[in-house]
């Protein structure tokens, strides 16, 4: 079978969970003997109605630059006044329609799978429909409702913002109803259903696949500072931004008397000021951006992953991967996160912004480390991830496609 995967970002330009999921799906299909092609973007202008194909790891990749005033790859640097124009051109990107349609007509795949296409253009579904090819779209965030991708448990009155209501109607029209819509969480599927998206689509909840074959490592390994073990924490959001709760997390930890070491992975607007503020506090280490394929040693050197977001999260791939290494997770009780964590089994959740509840969760894991009794957490974390292997993911996907 020939499979086409469409994703705005793809290796070597990956930076978030959505494109890593797309890459794992591509490599999974290749491992099973299927032919795989990818349509994706490049960060620099390259006008073409065909795209340029290259081979990457057994996958044929078509790269092109969608016509717009700025590259999606560096969108954060675009002046705020120009962003509405960028979004309009992105939604109705005629260039993308013809590029995608021309490639599909040339390659004639049996199945098209799209992931995040923000920055590529919301004309992708129309291009696929024009070729009459079976089509499945995977949801990863709330960007079809909120262009910034940021929503909060107690948001501003969304329905009172006229421009957002207009945006929702447009994206709903442009996406229509692909044959299959996949969501990694029940939360996100219900979110879009409540906004009346994808009325005629078959909807399935399919959690993201875990990292393939990670090494089994000891959990809550003992480290010492004097006579007390240090609890090694990993902030794995990838975004050092107030919406991800980094300011809240650091403030809460600064008042915690238990020995700990927090390693912060990622970049963002809060990083420079935090590094300056904490430069003499050796309990906090900033590592900057680390590609996903190099995070293994970080998981091996940590006792617990912390995600402290105060904004809505779907199903963070960082949680899936940490669990696959046998690392428990403490995370905010928002969005689809509670679906991934079994309280007191493979981790804990806390109310967003509630420092007292966060510290209570940390204390429970610290007590386990003091007793050197982590085995149940390690086993449960690894078991959850084992149930979500790439082979199981593809088996479910193909069974739904064949129905």
């Amino acid at each position: 079978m020939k499979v086409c995967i469409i994703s705005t970002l793809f290796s070597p330009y990956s930076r978030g969970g959505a494109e890593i999921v797309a890459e794992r799906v591509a490599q999974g299909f290749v491992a099973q003997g299927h032919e795989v092609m990818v349509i994706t973007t490049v960060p620099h202008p390259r006008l073409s109605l065909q795209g340029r194909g290259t081979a990457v790891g057994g996958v044929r990749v078509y790269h092109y630059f969608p016509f717009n005033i700025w590259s999606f790859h560096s969108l954060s640097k675009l002046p705020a006044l120009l962003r509405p124009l960028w979004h309009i051109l992105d939604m109705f990107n005629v260039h993308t329609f013809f590029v995608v349609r021309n490639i599909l007509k040339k390659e004639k795949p049996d199945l098209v799978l799209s992931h995040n296409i923000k920055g590529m253009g919301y004309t992708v579904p129309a291009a696929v429909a024009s070729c009459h090819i079976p089509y499945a779209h995977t949801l990863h965030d709330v960007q079809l409702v909120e262009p910034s991708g940021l929503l909060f448990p107690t948001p501003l009155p969304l329905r009172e913002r006229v421009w957002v209501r207009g945006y929702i109607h447009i994206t709903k029209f442009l996406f229509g109803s692909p044959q299959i819509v996949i969501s990694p969480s029940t939360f996100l599927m219900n979110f879009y259903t409540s906004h009346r998206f994808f009325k005629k689509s078959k909807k399935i909840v399919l959690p993201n696949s875990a990292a393939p074959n990670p090494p089994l490592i000891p959990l809550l390994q003992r480290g010492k500072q004097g006579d007390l073990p240090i609890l090694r924490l990993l902030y794995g959001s990838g975004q050092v931004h107030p919406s991800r709760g980094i300011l809240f997390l650091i403030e809460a930890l600064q008042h915690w008397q238990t020995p700990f070491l927090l390693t912060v992975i990622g970049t963002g607007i809060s990083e420079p000021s935090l590094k300056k503020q904490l430069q003499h506090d050796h309990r906090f280490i900033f590592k900057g951006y680390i590609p996903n394929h190099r995070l293994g040693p970080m998981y091996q050197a940590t006792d617990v992953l912390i995600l402290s977001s105060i904004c809505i999260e779907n199903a963070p791939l960082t949680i899936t991967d940490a669990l696959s290494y046998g690392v428990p997770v403490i995370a905010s009780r928002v969005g689809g996160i509670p679906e991934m964590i079994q309280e007191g089994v493979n981790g804990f959740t806390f109310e967003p912004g509630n420092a007292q509840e966060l510290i209570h969760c940390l204390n429970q894991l610290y007590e386990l480390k003091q007793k050197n009794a982590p085995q149940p957490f390690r086993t449960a974390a690894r078991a959850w991830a084992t149930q979500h292997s790439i082979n199981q993911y593809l088996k479910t996907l193909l069974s739904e496609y064949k129905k």
Side-chain angles (χ1 to χ4, degrees):
M1 183 171 74
K2 180 186 283 190
V3 179
C4 174
I5 294 174
I6 302 178
S7 174
T8 300
L9 301 178
F10 199 82
S11 180
Y13 303 111
S14 301
R15 67 186 186 198
E19 49 269 27
I20 294 169
V21 171
E23 290 168 16
R24 288 180 183 173
V25 171
Q27 292 301 329
F29 272 120
V30 169
Q32 292 185 3
H34 299 286
E35 185 178 352
V36 180
M37 51 167 290
V38 172
I39 305 175
T40 187
T41 69
V42 290
H44 307 295
R46 176 193 294 171
L47 288 178
S48 169
L49 291 183
Q50 288 291 344
R52 296 184 182 179
T54 57
V56 180
V59 177
R60 189 161 60 259
V61 181
Y62 285 90
H63 296 96
Y64 79 105
F65 181 85
F67 175 77
N68 209 318
I69 61 172
W70 200 270
S71 170
F72 176 77
H73 294 247
S74 57
L75 187 60
S76 61
K77 299 178 182 178
L78 179 66
L81 289 175
L82 293 177
R83 291 187 185 183
L85 175 60
W86 185 93
H87 282 290
I88 292 171
L89 293 174
D90 180 57
M91 285 191 294
F92 302 101
N93 199 311
V94 177
H95 176 220
T96 283
F97 174 87
F98 285 108
V99 168
V100 172
R101 190 183 69 169
N102 288 347
I103 294 173
L104 293 178
K105 284 188 173 183
K106 172 186 174 182
E107 293 286 349
K108 297 180 173 57
D110 301 298
L111 174 65
V112 174
L113 305 173
S114 63
H115 290 264
N116 272 3
I117 55 175
K118 187 73 173 176
M120 197 175 217
Y122 289 168
T123 54
V124 167
V128 179
S130 71
C131 297
H132 307 289
I133 300 171
Y135 176 37
H137 177 71
T138 299
L139 300 166
H140 290 281
D141 52 37
V142 297
Q143 282 191 329
L144 300 185
V145 169
E146 170 53 59
S148 70
L150 290 177
L151 284 179
F152 297 87
T154 54
L156 294 173
L158 183 65
R159 297 186 182 282
E160 293 179 16
R161 294 159 59 189
V162 176
W163 72 273
V164 172
R165 292 212 309 268
Y167 175 82
I168 293 173
H169 285 303
I170 292 171
T171 56
K172 194 184 304 182
F173 170 77
L174 291 175
F175 264 78
S177 294
Q179 286 94 325
I180 299 174
V181 171
I182 300 167
S183 172
S185 69
T186 300
F187 159 78
L188 193 63
M189 186 65 81
N190 290 342
F191 175 82
Y192 277 105
T193 300
S194 71
H195 284 87
R196 300 184 178 181
F197 276 79
F198 316 121
K199 289 184 178 180
K200 299 179 182 179
S201 301
K202 178 190 291 186
K203 303 177 183 70
I204 63 173
V205 175
L206 183 58
N208 295 324
S209 66
N213 304 315
L216 185 60
I217 60 174
L219 179 63
L220 300 178
Q221 300 173 19
R222 296 183 70 86
K224 295 238 177 173
Q225 176 175 299
D227 295 324
L228 294 175
I230 300 173
L231 193 64
R232 298 169 301 177
L233 314 174
L234 180 66
Y235 171 85
S237 168
Q239 299 184 46
V240 186
H241 189 279
S243 66
R244 307 300 171 177
I246 184 64
L247 304 181
F248 150 76
L249 174 62
I250 287 179
E251 182 179 358
L253 290 176
Q254 283 180 309
H255 295 92
W256 193 36
Q257 300 303 312
T258 301
F260 72 88
L261 179 66
L262 175 68
T263 301
V264 178
I265 295 176
T267 59
I269 61 173
S270 298
E271 184 186 13
S273 60
L274 286 175
K275 289 174 73 173
K276 183 177 180 180
Q277 173 190 337
L278 300 168
Q279 59 183 324
H280 300 301
D281 192 335
H282 301 298
R283 298 174 299 173
F284 299 92
I285 299 175
F286 291 83
K287 290 287 190 180
Y289 171 73
I290 299 178
N292 182 267
H293 66 275
R294 295 181 181 174
L295 286 177
M298 303 303 299
Y299 291 126
Q300 294 174 343
T302 193
D303 296 326
V304 57
L305 174 77
I306 296 185
L307 289 179
S308 51
S309 294
I310 58 176
C311 67
I312 296 297
E313 296 273 13
N314 172 26
L317 192 66
T318 310
I319 292 181
T320 302
D321 286 355
L323 294 175
S324 71
Y325 277 86
V327 176
V329 177
I330 294 177
S332 304
R333 201 178 301 119
V334 292
I337 289 178
E339 300 173 40
M340 308 176 75
I341 298 176
Q342 299 169 278
E343 290 289 335
V345 178
N346 63 2
F348 299 97
T349 61
F350 62 93
E351 180 186 359
N354 189 323
Q356 184 177 358
E357 196 172 349
L358 166 62
I359 295 302
H360 177 67
C361 296
L362 287 168
N363 283 336
Q364 292 184 74
L365 281 175
Y366 185 71
E367 289 174 7
L368 278 176
K369 180 159 187 175
Q370 284 182 306
K371 298 174 183 177
N372 201 22
Q375 189 60 36
F377 270 89
R378 173 190 181 187
T379 303
R382 189 66 179 242
W384 187 94
T386 300
Q387 296 169 8
H388 299 90
S389 67
I390 185 61
N391 287 335
Q392 185 59 47
Y393 182 98
L394 295 181
K395 179 180 178 181
T396 304
L397 173 60
L398 290 176
S399 68
E400 293 293 337
Y401 158 69
K402 293 175 182 177
K403 286 182 181 178

